[in-house]
Amino acid sequence: MPSRKSRFTRRKFIGATAAASVAFGVPTLLRAQARPIKVGLVHPITGFLAYSGGQSRMGAMMAIDEINAGGGIKSMGGAKLEALLGDNQAKPEVGVSVVEQMQEAGVSAYIGCFSSAVALPATQAAAKYNTPFVIDVGASDNIVNRGLKNVFRLKPGFNASVDDGILGLGEINKAAGNPAKSAVLVHEESEFGTGTAKLLAAKLPSIGIEVKEVMKHANPTRDFANLALRIRGLKPDLVIMSNYQNEYVLLARTLHQQKVDLVSMFSVLGGGFNYKFVKELPDVAQYMIDTNHWFDPTNPRAQAMKKRVEAKGDLFTFEVYLSYNAVKFLADGMERAGSADKEKVNAALAASTWSDHFMPYGPTRMVNGQNTGGKASIQQASRTDIEVIWPAKFASAKPVFPKPKFS
Amino acid sequence: MDATILGAAVINGLLLGGSYALVAVGLTLIYGVLHIINFAHGSMLMLAMYGAYFLLMKAKIDPYAAIPLMVAAMFAAGYVLYRGLIGRFSHGKDENILLITLGLSIVLENVALFFFKGDSQTVTVSYSDRMVALGPALVPLPKLVSFVASLVLCAALAWFIARTDTGRAIRAVAKERHGARLVGIDVEKIFAVSYGIGIACLGAAACLLIPSFYVSPSVGHLFVIVAFTIVVLGGMGSFIGALVGSLIIGLTESLSGLFLGEALGQIGISLIFILILLFRPTGIFSK
Amino acid sequence: MNWKIPAALLVVALAYPLVFRGNFAINFGVLVLFFALIGQAWNIAGGFGGQLSFGHAVFFGTGAYCSTILQLKLGWSPWSGLAASAGAGALVGALIAALSFRFGLRGSYFALITLAFAEAFRILTNALEFTGGGVGLLLPLKRSALNFQFAERIGFYYTILALTAISIGIAIWLQRSRFGARLAAIRENEDAARALGIDTFREKVKVMALSGALCALGGTFYAQYYLYIDPAVVFGVDKSVEMLLVSMIGGTGTVYGPLIGSLLLTLVGEYTRAITDAQGLSLIIYGSLLILIIGFLPNGLVDLFKLRWRRKARA
């Protein structure tokens, strides 16, 4: 494996303080190249978010390998990036501990954390050192709204994603002659689902869609039969979901089994909408629509990376390319800062106009650490693939809306 | 409230209870004999589900056809685990069995994560989405099958314990382990056999659940707390208690979900559990 | 009574952050003391009182939410919130105990009813508006000791040290006091204790209230240290299990068991994460070590020290 994984962790960590200052603080004369820049990856590698964490780590490592293969950070004499691999176990206390541990090892920036509950205290811990922290995945807008100067997020938060979803749904609905006039919202109970549903309920009337009911469900939910019954009773045109993978798939499957006829199944940040879902349950997935962080399908680099991930037998999920682009964004900032100095990197990231990504975004424009140039797109599943259907500029197919009836 | 929705919710609740019973019967047997709560129950279920999953994907063995195989394999796994690890390391202390099964569940779950990665696997078999009209409800065939199977499983276990020599020995050990030892019963062996049978039930449960559910390294958590609740509610060690407890919990979950919403509705399980225990402090069917 | 051990421990604990000055080391110390505190809270009910619980997170979460809500909604100082949360923890402890023991619940039935209460609290905080629902509660950043948000980790360290020292002090007192003796009698044989004229119901309610109060202190500390709480984190089964684990691994019903257990488990947890990269490997090692410790030290880690002392005494 070409990646430079850290060895710092092999050392007894209590003694690491003293050892680290010797090993990392003093430049080695023998080393011809510039000192490597340590990037801490703080993802949930074990515990109930382990899959997402693993996917994020894979995406970030691919970016690091690519940058190093291309000659490292050129303005810093070709300095290579070195990944410090951390596991936050989806627990706040572990996330903070990992941040501190990496700090002792001389980390220059962090990437993380998937879970907002971990990201909030972890970014706060990093803020003490003013160390740049790029949020690759993490929906809560509180992460960037707290006034921490070291925190940056490239992807849109759920607030912006909902706006994009509403805009797109409005246009798709209008183009089809407004077949959708009512909706039932189904969301999971934590911050992500609750926040998304609240915003949706407030904004759907503006595109002529009445919200018949908002249904909250627990994580995990073992059975959706009753929920499907109630939805059938309400006869909405749309079901709009915001939930994590397992519940997303289970609910979609139940509605399909119960043959609940709808104009469309729509979701905002639907956790289970991915290539695997289409492959495992093509009948269920077909025609489902999701608003999400998606790559630009017209960008050849995105397609090339998708091929590389799939060739390894892995899935090209949103975590992979969001983390990949987060690392690239960070590297661009370091390139422009010309130094790993935290102040300079933070300033470079805050002033970033980076556009070398393969997301359907414009150039980066940071406002209080949030990229306002980011945009969610809308995808629809066919029986065999996933197509971008909105915005038209990046679309790879036309929407099937309304979807065919069951009978 | 619409009567058809209510009727359908009752049917869904009973079916849900049936799937809980599959997991709870083994747990109650282990509790009845060993007097410990088996924290590894959820992760053993997870292992069995991966077993059923791989038998289908790699060997093309239908989950229902795989039941005898999985039951035998899980019995062996349970027996060996007890003999080789739990019995040996617990030094006869109940709290230690609790800790060892807790440690075991952490190990098993992460072994699964290590080898299979963390994502959920869903399977489709020809009958996965076949629906059966049951009064006002439209239910997936696999759920109906697992409900019937849970009744059969409870009856079979009850018969086994009541009528066979091993069953009699298990009862003797459950009631008075020192006395059983005095009359020449190999108590340690009976413990291992009971643990094996309890785990074997999970082999059947896994095969019955997989056609309509998913498997992931942490899937056991979904069932384990509910199963604990059911075992205690029913009266520890009672099969009929586990069955009735499962149905009560399934119904409660379904109906409180209907009336309070799926999120707050979860509280129904805790409340009904607390209420029943206050009036029957040793469970519904305690001896 | 031998005061040498607690005095020596206190000196070591006071000196630790002055020797290991790095934030990682101080954070590590905070974690050890934090788990020792909530482990001791569990131990006071589960070990000294003999009332095994699977749902101590109910007290932990009560403490965390009590001080946080008082702060956010009523503008209380978190220090007064700390006192209030101890009161709330004691109240919830007494209520759950009174209800359960009045109806004669024992053993595993009591353990599971505490779990049911923890779950009920988790679901309620998830559903209610004033607890912030599933979104959780975020405390605004206002670094000041008066605001229980120390600018440096060392402030948190000495705060949690004080709380943990109090919990160990209570455990020492339980070992020596009449209250502790009555609890021991109940633990060994409740019927016999009642025959001796002990009001077992009252004593058991008292010990649960005490345990609940200590656990709630841990909850408030957690909220102030991380400044964010949500129902799953503070009322979740994980927290309940962590408390019982440090106590049982260290040695149930002993004064220093939770501290020793916390030290070892935090160390093992950090170390296994640090030496492994592959998914799941760290916890495979962690779980295996857990099993081995129980296999070789069936009474917990305190056995290790007892053996040493006994040998010394013999020599």
Side-chain angles (χ1 to χ4, degrees):
Chain A
M1 208 169 151
S3 63
R4 299 175 57 103
K5 280 192 194 170
S6 160
R7 299 288 115 195
F8 88 101
T9 47
R10 314 275 175 215
R11 204 165 286 129
K12 232 187 184 133
F13 66 94
I14 283 273
T17 329
S21 62
V22 175
F24 302 117
V26 187
T28 319
L29 293 171
L30 290 173
R31 213 177 286 159
Q33 253 191 343
R35 266 194 310 157
I37 302 160
K38 298 190 174 66
V39 178
L41 309 183
V42 191
H43 295 120
I45 297 302
T46 55
F48 72 107
L49 298 175
Y51 180 66
S52 294
Q55 292 290 94
S56 269
R57 179 185 276 185
M58 172 170 70
M61 290 308 294
M62 287 176 81
I64 289 174
D65 289 345
E66 214 176 282
I67 291 162
N68 288 342
I73 306 291
K74 297 187 185 69
S75 68
M76 294 166 68
K80 298 273 197 286
L81 297 183
E82 176 181 326
L84 306 183
L85 302 181
D87 174 13
N88 69 36
Q89 296 187 345
K91 291 180 184 173
E93 55 267 38
V94 178
V96 168
S97 193
V98 169
V99 164
E100 292 292 4
Q101 190 179 358
M102 290 177 169
Q103 198 64 44
E104 308 254 306
V107 76
S108 293
Y110 298 97
I111 305 277
C113 295
F114 194 82
S115 142
S116 299
V118 178
L120 289 164
T123 50
Q124 190 177 299
K128 264 180 70 68
Y129 312 101
N130 211 14
T131 309
F133 205 125
V134 180
I135 301 293
D136 49 3
V137 187
S140 171
D141 286 327
N142 280 328
I143 303 171
V144 283
N145 282 348
R146 286 203 291 173
L148 300 177
K149 299 283 177 232
N150 62 322
V151 185
F152 302 92
R153 187 167 64 182
L154 192 65
K155 62 148 205 170
F158 59 63
N159 216 325
S161 303
V162 169
D163 285 345
D164 290 333
I166 294 271
L167 195 65
L169 177 62
E171 286 179 16
I172 292 169
N173 193 27
K174 201 170 163 194
N178 291 320
K181 294 186 174 56
S182 63
V184 166
L185 307 185
V186 184
H187 69 89
E188 61 87 32
E189 63 188 351
S190 83
E191 164 155 32
F192 143 63
T194 312
T196 309
K198 212 173 185 174
L199 293 167
L200 276 171
K203 288 172 178 171
L204 276 168
S206 71
I207 56 165
I209 294 174
E210 170 212 3
V211 177
K212 289 198 161 175
E213 198 163 326
V214 180
M215 300 177 182
K216 174 157 97 169
H217 67 75
N219 286 324
T221 290
R222 289 166 289 248
D223 188 74
F224 279 111
N226 284 334
L227 208 121
L229 277 175
R230 282 167 60 208
I231 291 175
R232 167 178 291 159
L234 290 164
K235 292 193 176 44
D237 297 325
L238 296 173
V239 169
I240 305 184
M241 313 193 281
S242 301
N243 35 22
Y244 293 124
Q245 185 182 359
N246 291 333
E247 284 71 30
Y248 177 93
V249 174
L250 210 56
L251 176 58
R253 194 176 193 177
T254 308
L255 288 175
H256 178 77
Q257 286 174 337
Q258 300 284 346
K259 301 199 173 19
V260 179
D261 261 319
L262 298 161
V263 168
S264 191
M265 286 270 282
F266 192 78
S267 54
V268 175
L269 307 176
F273 188 87
N274 56 37
Y275 292 107
K276 183 176 180 163
F277 176 47
V278 174
K279 201 174 130 200
E280 283 183 342
L281 299 168
D283 292 330
V284 179
Q286 193 175 19
Y287 307 124
M288 287 191 68
I289 301 181
D290 180 41
T291 310
N292 219 322
H293 316 289
W294 206 260
F295 55 91
D296 171 6
T298 62
N299 187 318
R301 282 195 302 137
Q303 295 296 349
M305 187 181 172
K306 177 167 179 262
K307 279 213 185 73
R308 268 200 296 154
V309 170
E310 285 169 354
K312 288 194 291 178
D314 289 311
L315 281 173
F316 196 47
T317 58
F318 72 96
E319 298 94 340
V320 179
Y321 48 80
L322 284 182
S323 299
Y324 172 91
N325 279 300
V327 171
K328 289 279 191 134
F329 161 73
L330 174 69
D332 172 73
M334 289 179 163
E335 190 71 75
R336 283 183 294 106
S339 134
D341 178 78
K342 288 162 182 174
E343 293 289 345
K344 286 185 188 154
V345 175
N346 278 332
L349 291 176
S352 181
T353 55
W354 184 59
S355 58
D356 188 31
H357 48 67
F358 57 67
M359 302 298 287
Y361 302 168
T364 305
R365 205 172 71 82
M366 286 290 168
V367 177
N368 296 326
Q370 172 64 50
N371 176 20
T372 53
K375 207 168 181 53
S377 58
I378 300 181
Q379 288 68 237
Q380 185 168 37
S382 71
R383 267 190 70 84
T384 51
D385 208 349
I386 290 176
E387 307 286 354
V388 174
I389 55 169
W390 185 91
K393 191 175 151 197
F394 302 104
S396 56
K398 290 242 172 295
V400 181
F401 189 95
K403 68 178 181 122
K405 293 216 178 267
F406 278 106
S407 47
Chain B
M1 172 107 354
D2 193 338
T4 52
I5 290 191
L6 196 63
V10 168
I11 291 168
N12 285 332
L14 291 174
L15 292 183
L16 188 62
S19 63
Y20 293 164
L22 290 172
V23 183
V25 279
L27 195 62
T28 206
L29 172 69
I30 292 172
Y31 189 87
V33 182
L34 292 154
H35 302 286
I36 51 117
I37 285 183
N38 177 31
F39 262 111
H41 214 65
S43 41
M44 294 302 282
L45 172 68
M46 175 273 297
L47 274 196
M49 286 174 87
Y50 270 109
Y53 171 77
F54 283 116
L55 281 177
L56 175 66
M57 301 309 278
K58 305 282 177 202
K60 303 280 172 246
I61 301 176
D62 181 272
Y64 293 161
I67 291 179
L69 195 62
M70 284 308 298
V71 166
M74 292 310 285
F75 175 82
Y79 187 88
V80 170
L81 261 183
Y82 190 87
R83 274 271 144 130
L85 188 75
I86 301 172
R88 185 167 301 171
F89 273 23
S90 64
H91 305 278
K93 284 182 72 177
D94 292 351
E95 309 94 271
N96 288 357
I97 301 188
L98 186 151
L99 286 183
I100 288 172
T101 55
L102 186 64
L104 197 59
S105 74
I106 297 174
V107 172
L108 292 177
E109 205 174 292
N110 286 284
V111 165
L113 180 62
F114 185 79
F115 285 109
F116 312 140
K117 297 191 85 175
D119 57 339
S120 312
Q121 312 287 348
T122 313
V123 304
T124 312
V125 279
S126 59
Y127 47 84
S128 273
D129 293 328
R130 188 167 301 164
M131 304 302 280
V132 182
L134 208 65
L138 204 56
V139 300
L141 184 64
K143 288 203 172 159
L144 195 60
V145 171
S146 69
F147 180 78
V148 175
S150 72
L151 299 181
V152 174
L153 188 65
C154 286
L157 271 179
W159 173 84
F160 176 79
I161 295 293
R163 292 300 158 87
T164 63
D165 286 341
T166 314
R168 272 186 279 272
I170 290 176
R171 268 189 297 154
V173 171
K175 207 162 196 169
E176 185 45 71
R177 54 179 84 168
H178 300 297
R181 194 169 278 132
L182 289 178
V183 298
I185 295 174
D186 182 349
V187 173
E188 277 302 308
K189 189 178 164 196
I190 291 298
F191 280 167
V193 168
S194 309
Y195 196 79
I197 296 173
I199 300 300
C201 293
L202 293 176
C207 294
L208 291 158
L209 287 172
I210 197 96
S212 60
F213 213 68
Y214 56 83
V215 56
S216 74
S218 53
V219 75
H221 291 277
L222 259 80
F223 291 96
V224 79
I225 288 185
V226 166
F228 282 161
T229 309
I230 287 164
V231 167
V232 172
L233 187 65
M236 294 169 162
S238 160
F239 298 125
I240 181 83
L243 184 63
V244 172
S246 299
L247 298 181
I248 291 178
I249 292 294
L251 262 183
T252 307
E253 186 172 348
S254 178
L255 293 178
S256 62
L258 194 63
F259 290 111
L260 301 174
E262 298 295 323
L264 184 57
Q266 294 284 320
I267 207 169
I269 298 180
S270 308
L271 291 185
I272 202 91
F273 176 76
I274 291 168
L275 279 178
I276 292 182
L277 271 203
L278 291 185
F279 293 103
R280 296 275 308 176
T282 49
I284 305 173
F285 286 89
S286 53
K287 289 156 211 159
Chain C
M1 163 84 201
N2 182 0
W3 288 105
K4 278 183 201 151
I5 300 168
L9 278 176
L10 194 61
V11 169
V12 170
L14 284 169
Y16 172 81
L18 307 175
V19 178
F20 297 93
R21 284 156 178 272
N23 270 317
F24 174 65
I26 295 178
N27 180 60
F28 175 80
V30 169
L31 284 181
V32 169
L33 292 170
F34 164 72
F35 283 113
L37 168 68
I38 59 178
Q40 189 66 270
W42 185 91
N43 187 39
I44 281 170
F48 291 101
Q51 307 305 316
L52 217 70
S53 146
F54 286 163
H56 249 56
V58 69
F59 310 123
F60 182 79
T62 298
Y65 268 97
C66 176
S67 59
T68 305
I69 289 173
L70 285 174
Q71 212 178 141
L72 290 176
K73 310 272 160 170
L74 301 178
W76 281 39
S77 144
W79 292 109
S80 343
L82 185 71
S85 79
L91 189 69
V92 172
L95 280 177
I96 291 177
L99 203 60
S100 311
F101 297 139
R102 181 57 75 209
F103 287 92
L105 282 167
R106 280 188 191 190
S108 305
Y109 294 94
F110 176 72
L112 263 294
I113 210 167
T114 56
L115 176 63
F117 274 106
E119 281 292 283
F121 273 57
R122 182 182 65 79
I123 297 161
L124 267 183
T125 44
N126 226 330
L128 294 177
E129 202 61 46
F130 82 102
T131 54
V135 177
L137 293 174
L138 183 69
L139 283 164
L141 274 165
K142 252 188 283 167
R143 293 287 181 208
S144 138
L146 282 177
N147 203 32
F148 201 154
Q149 286 187 29
F150 302 95
E152 298 300 330
R153 288 204 189 278
I154 197 161
F156 286 105
Y157 177 88
Y158 284 118
T159 308
I160 190 73
L161 175 59
L163 295 176
T164 309
I166 290 171
S167 77
I168 292 177
I170 290 175
I172 293 174
W173 168 71
L174 277 180
Q175 250 190 351
R176 298 156 50 87
S177 68
R178 299 181 76 91
F179 177 44
R182 288 195 293 270
L183 287 177
I186 293 170
R187 188 180 61 214
E188 296 311 323
N189 188 337
E190 191 164 342
D191 298 322
R194 196 174 301 122
L196 287 172
I198 297 174
D199 184 348
T200 57
F201 174 76
R202 218 182 97 165
E203 303 299 326
K204 289 198 293 183
V205 171
K206 266 161 60 185
V207 80
M208 283 300 289
L210 182 61
S211 172
L214 278 175
C215 203
L217 291 178
T220 295
F221 179 83
Y222 186 92
Q224 291 302 127
Y225 196 56
Y226 296 111
L227 299 179
Y228 173 76
I229 52 172
D230 75 14
V233 168
V234 298
F235 283 116
V237 185
D238 277 1
K239 273 280 164 299
S240 297
V241 170
E242 280 162 4
M243 288 179 228
L244 118 179
L245 205 55
V246 294
S247 179
M248 282 186 160
I249 285 286
T252 316
T254 62
V255 169
Y256 301 106
L259 181 64
I260 300 169
S262 168
L263 179 63
L264 184 92
L265 288 182
T266 313
L267 203 65
V268 169
E270 294 285 336
Y271 194 64
T272 52
R273 264 192 298 107
I275 60 165
T276 57
D277 286 342
Q279 260 192 318
L281 200 54
S282 60
L283 290 177
I284 295 175
I285 302 172
Y286 181 91
S288 308
L289 281 173
L290 212 63
I291 296 172
L292 285 175
I293 292 169
I294 294 302
F296 292 103
L297 298 168
N299 297 314
L301 288 160
V302 283
D303 266 12
L304 221 61
F305 295 85
K306 279 192 189 139
L307 275 177
R308 180 83 40 88
W309 289 328
R310 237 175 265 149
R311 244 177 246 150
K312 238 190 236 163
R314 234 179 276 152

